[in-house]
Amino acid sequence: MPPETDNLSEALKTLKLSSADSVEGCLDCLLKALAHNNVETSEKIQEMGVLAMMPALLSAQNSCTPKVANIIAEVAKNEFMRSPCVEAGLIPPLVQLLNSKDQEILLQTGRALGNICYDSHEGRSAVDAAGGAQIVAEHIKSLAESTDPATGKLLTVFCGMLMNYSNDNDSLQAQLIIMGVIPTLVRLLGVHSQNTALTEMCLIAFGNLAELESSKEQFASTNIAEELVRLFRKQVEHEKREMIFEVLAPLAENDVIKLQLVDAGLVECLLEVVAQTVDSDRDEDVAQLKTASDLMVLLLLGDESMQKLFEGGKGSVFQRVLSWVPSNNHQLQLAGALAIANFARNDGNCIHMVDTGIVQKLLELLDRHVEEGNVTVQHAALSALRNLAIPVVNKSKMLLAGVSDVVLKFLKSEMPPVQFKLLGTLRMLIDTQADAAEQLGTNAKLVERLVEWCDAKDHAGVMGESNRLLSALIRHSKSKDVVQTVIQGGGVKHLVTMATSEHMIMQNEALVALGLIAALNLDCAEKDFVAANLVQVLHKLLKDEHSAPEIKYNSMILICSIMGSEPLHKEVQSLAFIDVVSSLRSHENKTVAHQASLTEQRLTAQS
């Protein structure tokens, strides 16, 4: 048996009989044994029931107190000792010691409580019940301005204790936020920026707290943005920057903080990181490039921060981000396209960007990703084009630039997110553009693909957009050839189904398109109308009192248009439409009431 174990057993026995003089020597022996083999010594302490004596030793408050707290801190480094420490009743006397004026006692007590709380539900609950966090938070607040090394060490231990206390526990984190620890920790970051251990503790604490929505308002009322940017500028190591990024990302989700970060100069830091890492293929550089460019895109999601960086399209930041689009780095291409999509959130910006040739850059980017392309880049570039196509003045310019031709190259894509954006872009482009609608609407390949996607039951978004584009091609072209192409491609039944959609806007678009089909080529569409039960659908829409006035109006217009067809006319007669229509003559909406009279005359004339 090694002599240490002998001494240890003796020390533990002596401690149990403890006369005050011999206690100190025993504690020294314990600390020495723990330093030599913590796990074995802790097991021994547990076996011999020494923990039960600790509360009395802690309460005595004499020169031995820091050593007792230090022993508890060492023992609690072992997971298996944390619950026993709580069960032995150590938490209340330790929390009592937080009221001491002695710095060494405070330091060792902070360590002991922090270690007992680490990943231990029992430990946290006991500290919570004893009110330990509040006392520690007050200490941190009152010591925050002091910069001597001993205080720095104590502050680091206290911050670590609060972190272990609240980590992964929303209700305890919320409790700390209510206590007001956020402004205190932000202050620490400002005063102690030279103290690496303490700033790291603060950053980890911020990372935890920033995940909670309730923290954002408190953060926004401090100068956290300036402090983090200042700290970031000083860092060269990847790990340190990564720690700051982990705090910046959740904070930047808040629009007020986005603006503060922009004002504090974060964007220049991010552009610099991109410039430093863009040509490197080291893993950590690739990671930093992704984080920095993602964060840049996040800052542009706020309306004010975005407009500030756009600076009327003359902003150097805007120009730098544009230069990412033609780069050879997929991550930068992606961020550049997403940034354009974010800048393109109001008409003024969109018009300026189209006039300065951004469309060409996006088309070149898409062309590079047609074969074996990167799906996220395709999706982002199409999103940007869709947003740019919203202002009416941009549509013809973008069509002239050849946008629809490039977009059509992605018809073969099997990726629903790409399909969805492609459809949305085409629909935006042809809105009010008759020639373009006719050109695309007579493209049999396109219509065929749309009809196929109208059945994409697994992807409601793609299905909805396909139907809407099909209808838009007819509505904006008002062309007999387009109607012919849609009938031949099998699109009619989908438009009839679309008339029963739960979205009124889609119902209406469908009814207008069906009305044009009936007006322009009823003979060809007749068979499909019958097969799709068009007449029953219209009857249901007119009878349903929840149908909007425009739905009722367009349904009656459509009834009048199909009366020229023998089989459809028969169906209309068999369903007693006349009753439903006459009741609409007294409809509160004048246009509906007037159309009801006209429709009634038509039905009576042909019965």
Side-chain angles (χ1 to χ4, degrees):
M1 204 180 230
E4 268 111 353
T5 317
D6 270 357
N7 295 351
L8 176 61
S9 304
E10 283 309 304
L12 289 169
K13 281 183 188 138
T14 314
L15 195 56
K16 293 188 80 161
L17 305 167
S18 78
S19 57
D21 322 328
S22 54
V23 167
E24 188 140 11
C26 300
L27 295 175
D28 288 337
C29 178
L30 270 186
L31 282 169
K32 206 167 152 192
L34 282 163
H36 177 71
N37 187 332
N38 191 320
V39 177
E40 219 170 278
T41 308
S42 295
E43 283 168 345
K44 196 94 184 171
I45 287 176
Q46 167 75 325
E47 275 162 39
M48 296 197 57
V50 174
L51 288 178
M53 306 160 51
M54 295 286 182
L57 287 171
L58 287 170
S59 304
Q61 290 220 28
N62 52 32
S63 60
C64 294
T65 309
K67 286 181 182 170
V68 179
N70 188 359
I71 288 169
I72 298 170
E74 288 302 316
V75 163
K77 284 179 175 172
N78 303 290
E79 194 185 346
F80 67 87
M81 291 300 283
R82 289 174 200 145
S83 291
C85 282
V86 176
E87 284 149 21
L90 300 188
I91 301 290
L94 280 170
V95 169
Q96 260 327 103
L97 286 178
L98 288 172
N99 296 310
S100 160
K101 296 276 176 279
D102 181 309
Q103 205 151 19
E104 185 57 24
I105 290 182
L106 288 174
L107 186 76
Q108 298 304 343
T109 305
R111 286 184 60 231
L113 287 168
N115 289 353
I116 293 172
C117 283
Y118 186 81
D119 258 354
S120 159
H121 178 66
E122 295 83 4
R124 291 168 182 181
S125 300
V127 173
D128 183 18
Q134 182 74 51
I135 306 173
V136 170
E138 278 159 16
H139 273 303
I140 296 176
K141 194 170 182 177
S142 62
L143 295 169
E145 305 295 328
S146 162
T147 51
D148 67 283
T151 308
K153 198 172 170 191
L154 181 57
L155 283 167
T156 306
V157 165
F158 277 163
C159 286
M161 181 255 157
L162 287 185
M163 215 168 60
N164 286 353
Y165 169 71
S166 66
N167 192 22
D168 280 339
N169 184 313
D170 284 0
S171 65
L172 293 180
Q173 288 178 351
Q175 181 194 74
L176 293 183
I177 291 168
I178 293 165
M179 281 177 199
V181 302
I182 288 176
T184 307
L185 293 177
V186 175
R187 184 79 196 112
L188 282 187
L189 202 56
V191 175
H192 300 267
S193 56
Q194 302 309 315
N195 181 335
T196 315
L198 184 53
T199 47
E200 280 188 19
M201 277 299 178
C202 288
L203 287 173
I204 297 170
F206 290 148
N208 290 343
L209 296 171
E211 297 294 336
L212 280 185
E213 237 355 89
S214 59
S215 73
K216 306 271 169 68
E217 250 170 76
Q218 280 215 15
F219 275 119
S221 65
T222 68
N223 63 337
I224 182 86
E226 285 165 48
E227 294 297 356
L228 288 175
V229 171
R230 208 161 53 109
L231 197 61
F232 191 86
R233 286 201 173 111
K234 282 174 31 189
Q235 302 308 331
V236 276
E237 286 170 55
H238 168 70
E239 274 74 28
K240 296 277 165 54
R241 285 183 159 187
E242 211 46 49
M243 282 181 86
I244 301 174
F245 274 143
E246 275 169 23
V247 181
L248 287 169
L251 286 180
E253 284 169 12
N254 176 284
D255 282 358
V256 178
I257 301 175
K258 279 187 182 78
L259 199 55
Q260 293 172 350
L261 289 168
V262 169
D263 288 339
L266 177 61
V267 171
E268 289 69 19
C269 298
L270 297 177
L271 290 170
E272 211 166 293
V273 171
V274 168
Q276 288 162 1
T277 54
V278 64
D279 297 320
S280 162
D281 42 17
R282 284 171 42 207
D283 284 353
E284 56 190 56
D285 287 340
V286 172
Q288 267 201 74
L289 176 75
K290 177 169 170 34
T291 311
S293 52
D294 282 350
L295 193 49
M296 185 76 201
V297 172
L298 183 57
L299 291 177
L300 293 174
L301 273 175
D303 287 336
E304 285 184 72
S305 45
M306 178 273 287
Q307 212 47 47
K308 187 163 196 143
L309 294 170
F310 189 67
E311 289 180 63
K314 313 235 180 325
S316 61
V317 174
F318 172 63
Q319 299 301 334
R320 290 278 287 279
V321 171
L322 279 192
S323 71
W324 294 356
V325 177
S327 89
N328 287 320
N329 181 303
H330 280 185
Q331 173 57 36
L332 274 196
Q333 294 170 359
L334 171 65
L338 287 173
I340 292 175
N342 284 344
F343 278 124
R345 283 212 311 278
N346 61 54
D347 283 5
N349 292 8
C350 288
I351 292 166
H352 179 85
M353 287 196 278
V354 168
D355 287 345
T356 48
I358 282 171
V359 170
Q360 218 34 59
K361 284 192 163 74
L362 290 168
L363 294 183
E364 282 160 17
L365 175 62
L366 277 171
D367 261 330
R368 293 162 70 178
H369 286 277
V370 174
E371 303 302 328
E372 304 299 309
N374 178 310
V375 174
T376 46
V377 174
Q378 293 172 357
H379 182 259
L382 287 167
S383 295
L385 286 172
R386 182 196 174 281
N387 288 2
L388 290 171
I390 293 172
V392 175
V393 293
N394 280 358
K395 299 181 196 292
S396 53
K397 294 174 186 170
M398 290 175 70
L399 287 163
L400 273 174
V403 173
S404 56
D405 302 335
V406 176
V407 170
L408 286 173
K409 292 180 184 174
F410 293 91
L411 268 184
K412 55 177 187 274
S413 169
E414 292 305 328
M415 306 306 287
V418 174
Q419 297 167 351
F420 181 72
K421 283 296 174 191
L422 166 154
L423 293 163
T425 306
L426 290 176
R427 192 165 63 77
M428 276 305 155
L429 277 174
I430 62 164
D431 195 8
T432 72
Q433 306 296 307
D435 294 347
E438 174 144 19
Q439 199 187 348
L440 289 171
T442 49
N443 177 335
K445 266 219 172 69
L446 169 62
V447 171
E448 194 181 309
R449 194 70 160 134
L450 292 183
V451 169
E452 184 188 327
W453 286 340
C454 284
D455 266 329
K457 302 275 187 291
D458 299 343
H459 302 288
V462 173
M463 200 161 105
E465 276 294 335
S466 301
N467 277 301
R468 293 190 74 186
L469 181 54
L470 206 52
S471 150
L473 292 169
I474 295 170
R475 289 182 299 112
H476 295 300
S477 70
K478 300 188 174 55
S479 145
K480 191 166 182 170
D481 293 340
V482 172
V483 166
Q484 187 62 29
T485 313
V486 171
I487 295 171
Q488 280 172 344
V492 173
K493 64 174 184 190
H494 295 297
L495 291 170
V496 176
T497 309
M498 182 181 168
T500 63
S501 158
E502 66 233 29
H503 303 293
M504 190 200 85
I505 190 158
M506 284 176 68
Q507 281 186 302
N508 216 24
E509 287 172 359
L511 289 169
V512 174
L514 289 166
L516 284 162
I517 293 175
L520 293 168
N521 204 340
L522 183 57
D523 292 348
C524 269
E526 182 179 80
K527 228 174 45 266
D528 293 339
F529 280 162
V530 172
N533 294 326
L534 173 65
V535 176
Q536 283 91 321
V537 167
L538 293 174
H539 190 257
K540 203 164 153 231
L541 289 175
L542 285 175
K543 256 178 54 174
D544 181 358
E545 54 216 36
H546 300 302
S547 292
E550 42 274 63
I551 302 295
K552 289 196 163 37
Y553 174 79
N554 283 319
S555 297
M556 288 189 283
I557 295 271
L558 186 46
I559 289 163
C560 295
S561 304
I562 58 176
M563 291 298 278
S565 146
E566 184 69 30
L568 293 168
H569 183 180
K570 277 201 175 119
E571 284 190 46
V572 170
Q573 283 180 317
S574 69
L575 273 175
F577 262 84
I578 201 104
D579 308 343
V580 192
V581 173
S582 3
S583 69
L584 290 174
R585 285 202 335 232
S586 53
H587 197 278
E588 58 190 358
N589 182 302
K590 292 286 175 282
T591 320
V592 172
H594 180 62
Q595 187 54 45
S597 302
L598 296 176
T599 309
E600 190 183 33
Q601 286 165 23
R602 184 78 197 265
L603 289 171
T604 330
Q606 291 201 263
S607 58

